[in-house]
């Protein structure tokens, strides 16, 4: 896609997540992938910006999607998330998030925040790994016996379709 993006002097919005900003127990692979998405977008912006290409990063918290509904189907995951601090412990409606993403695309924004409070997370993100490391250990210890053998797997309709496709091979 890069040659076409360069030719068109276009815009690419990479969807990261609150998970790129703040690590979370039980979401290790997801947090790592979203941090990678964020780093990719920032690096690409530096590489191609001088050629008129704009690159943005979209940040969403728990938004009402199939993936989030899939996570909430599991009692343990739902309870763990409910214990997270406000405003990270609630699910946000999809419509306003989509509206903010569309507005960000129209403006070719460097950063797009699907929920209003995510912008403020940027200013404290350096402290979050230590805080979450401590609080996360406490929560994992509390849930420890229930975590034995737990495997969340892929979530939502997309995850189910992927797991079915793998099984059909």
């Amino acid at each position: 896609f890069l040659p076409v993006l360069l030719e068109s002097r276009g815009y690419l919005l990479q969807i990261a997540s609150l998970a790129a900003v703040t690590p979370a127990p039980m979401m290790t692979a997801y947090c790592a992938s979203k941090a990678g998405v964020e780093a990719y977008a920032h690096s690409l912006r530096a590489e191609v910006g001088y050629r008129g290409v704009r690159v943005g990063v979209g940040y969403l918290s728990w938004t009402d999607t199939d993936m989030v509904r899939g996570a909430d189907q599991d009692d343990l995951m739902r309870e763990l998330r409910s214990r997270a601090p406000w405003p990270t412990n609630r699910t946000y409606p999809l419509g306003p998030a989509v509206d903010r993403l569309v507005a960000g695309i129209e403006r070719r924004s460097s950063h797009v925040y699907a929920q209003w409070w995510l912008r403020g997370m940027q200013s404290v993100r350096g402290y979050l790994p230590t805080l979450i490391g401590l609080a996360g250990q406490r929560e994992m210890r509390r849930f420890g016996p229930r975590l034995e053998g737990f495997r969340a797997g892929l979530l939502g309709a997309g995850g189910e379709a992927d797991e079915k496709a793998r099984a059909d091979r």
Side-chain angles (χ1 to χ4, degrees), residues 81-95:
R81 189 160 75 91
S82 74
R83 295 181 52 76
W86 181 89
T88 64
N89 63 351
R90 60 175 291 227
T91 300
Y92 294 88
L94 184 59

Side-chain angles (χ1 to χ4, degrees), residues 8-29:
S8 67
R9 298 170 57 93
Y11 175 75
L12 171 68
L13 179 65
Q14 286 290 120
I15 301 298
S17 168
L18 172 62
V21 176
T22 181
M26 304 298 292
M27 294 178 54
T28 305

Side-chain angles (χ1 to χ4, degrees), residues 79-145:
E79 186 177 346
L80 278 166
R81 189 160 75 91
S82 74
R83 295 181 52 76
W86 181 89
T88 64
N89 63 351
R90 60 175 291 227
T91 300
Y92 294 88
L94 184 59
V98 170
D99 292 343
R100 287 191 175 110
L101 291 172
V102 168
I105 291 168
E106 290 174 344
R107 289 189 312 269
R108 296 168 54 110
S109 299
S110 295
H111 299 91
V112 181
Y113 300 96
Q115 287 82 30
W116 63 270
W117 55 270
L118 286 169
R119 182 184 309 272
M121 295 296 286
Q122 296 287 15
S123 63
V124 298
R125 74 185 291 169
Y127 301 102
L128 296 174
T130 300
L131 291 172
I132 293 166
L134 295 171
Q137 286 182 54
R138 183 188 68 232
E139 289 300 301
M140 293 297 97
R141 195 174 303 111
R142 174 190 169 125
F143 284 85

Side-chain angles (χ1 to χ4, degrees), residues 3-11 53 108:
V4 174
L5 191 63
L6 289 166
E7 183 181 320
S8 67
R9 298 170 57 93
Y11 175 75
V53 173
R108 296 168 54 110

Side-chain angles (χ1 to χ4, degrees), residues 1-80:
F1 74 93
L2 193 53
V4 174
L5 191 63
L6 289 166
E7 183 181 320
S8 67
R9 298 170 57 93
Y11 175 75
L12 171 68
L13 179 65
Q14 286 290 120
I15 301 298
S17 168
L18 172 62
V21 176
T22 181
M26 304 298 292
M27 294 178 54
T28 305
Y30 187 75
C31 290
S33 69
K34 291 304 184 175
V37 163
E38 181 187 48
Y40 170 80
H42 290 313
S43 297
L44 187 63
R45 180 184 306 128
E47 289 177 27
V48 299
Y50 77 98
R51 295 184 61 185
V53 173
R54 299 287 308 266
V55 179
V57 182
Y59 297 93
L60 292 87
S61 183
W62 295 89
T63 303
D64 188 21
T65 62
D66 286 343
M67 185 180 77
V68 170
R69 285 190 298 274
D72 283 346
Q73 287 176 353
D74 183 272
D75 293 338
L76 180 59
M77 292 297 288
R78 187 176 54 253
E79 186 177 346
L80 278 166

